Amino acid sequence: MSTPDDAERLSPLVQRWPRASKFLLSGCAATVAELATFPLDLTKTRLQIQGEAALARLGDGATESAPYRGMVRTALGIVQEEGFLKLWQGVAPAIYRHIVYSGGRMVTYEHLREVVFGKSEDKHYPLWKSVIGGMMAGVVGQFLANPTDLVKVQMQMEGKRKLEGKPPRFRGVHHAFAKILAEGGIRGLWAGWVPNIQRAALVNMGDLTTYDTVKHYLVLNTPLEDNITTHGLSRYHLT
């Protein structure tokens, strides 16, 4: 005769650890998205920093001397001069950032919705609660992810040093973390966190509110239950 403990051990991991499952699902989805879009992010950063580097070096003649012009030519220049894989230079801290940020905000939002705010008796979750929960989840997720966000930007800025003919500051992700920690201490890893969390609060006010609205609609109007499948479909709708 089976006992409740046996039933719990035999139940799927998703049911036993729903928060952990949603953290992993959000982290995996964010990783795939980051790998697919990182070349665009790197190209954007190179376009930004090359103008600053040329302006500092050549003044008014910077426009004529810029090595790249336009997104496509910038990306092609990176491939031709540095190799195809350099389009993903610095992707590791970006992945770390998205795993912490995406997973952290989703788990925080689910906890706020289920434990702190709670649904009404008819299982409805008011819009104002979604808005506040989304903003708070964004703040928590971005605060946790700020060190990885900082390292990501610092490693992307290595392109500026290259354009200026300077040696690289970092040998890799772990070296970047260690150097920032040695130079600025623990507080140095959270440099710029205030504007970061403000932006994250506004982004997630719309993002997670829409996510929860879509999921609520699916649960009420389709045979789907509130599980990882519905969670994935709701996240896919936002992308």
Side-chain angles (χ1 to χ4, degrees):
M1 185 175 182
S2 62
T3 64
D5 290 339
D6 293 333
E8 182 178 353
R9 283 196 299 269
L10 293 174
S11 63
L13 294 177
V14 173
Q15 295 179 10
R16 281 185 280 168
W17 297 300
R19 297 276 192 275
S21 299
K22 288 178 180 178
F23 182 95
L24 291 174
L25 179 63
S26 297
C28 290
T31 298
V32 173
E34 185 62 30
L35 286 171
T37 60
F38 190 80
L40 297 175
D41 192 25
L42 179 67
T43 301
K44 175 209 71 174
T45 303
R46 287 291 183 93
L47 280 169
Q48 291 173 332
I49 64 177
Q50 75 166 0
E52 296 177 9
L55 186 62
R57 187 173 64 252
L58 300 168
D60 294 337
T63 303
E64 290 77 13
S65 64
Y68 309 133
R69 292 182 186 177
M71 183 186 72
V72 176
R73 290 181 62 183
T74 300
L76 290 176
I78 294 172
V79 172
Q80 292 171 356
E81 297 172 13
E82 305 172 45
F84 179 73
L85 293 180
K86 287 298 182 179
L87 289 172
W88 282 270
Q89 184 177 24
V91 72
I95 290 175
Y96 296 161
R97 184 258 178 191
H98 275 285
I99 290 174
V100 175
Y101 171 69
S102 297
R105 68 178 184 146
M106 287 306 306
V107 170
T108 301
Y109 184 78
E110 295 282 343
H111 179 77
L112 290 172
R113 187 186 63 186
E114 302 296 335
V115 178
V116 178
F117 294 136
K119 296 182 180 180
S120 59
E121 293 182 359
D122 62 353
K123 302 299 182 181
H124 178 66
Y125 195 61
L127 180 63
W128 69 268
K129 289 185 178 181
S130 293
V131 170
I132 295 176
M135 293 180 70
M136 293 177 65
V139 167
V140 172
Q142 181 57 52
F143 183 80
L144 294 174
N146 199 80
T148 54
D149 203 15
L150 177 65
V151 169
K152 166 183 170 274
V153 174
Q154 291 279 348
M155 293 191 69
Q156 286 183 324
M157 289 298 289
E158 290 293 278
K160 180 177 180 179
R161 296 181 63 83
K162 179 181 178 182
L163 290 169
E164 294 174 343
K166 297 178 181 178
R169 293 180 62 216
F170 308 121
R171 296 190 298 270
V173 179
H174 298 99
H175 182 239
F177 272 110
K179 190 163 186 176
I180 294 172
L181 190 61
E183 293 176 353
I186 293 292
R187 293 181 62 182
L189 291 173
W190 272 268
W193 69 273
V194 175
N196 271 346
I197 66 169
Q198 290 173 343
R199 176 183 180 275
L202 294 176
V203 169
N204 284 278
M205 179 179 65
D207 187 0
L208 291 179
T209 300
T210 306
Y211 152 79
D212 207 38
T213 301
V214 172
K215 190 170 75 169
H216 185 70
Y217 176 85
L218 291 175
V219 171
L220 290 181
N221 297 279
T222 72
L224 295 173
E225 298 179 356
D226 187 356
N227 52 29
I228 237 175
T229 301
T230 312
H231 169 77
L233 290 173
S234 302
R235 297 302 305 158
Y236 176 75
H237 174 272
L238 294 179
T239 60

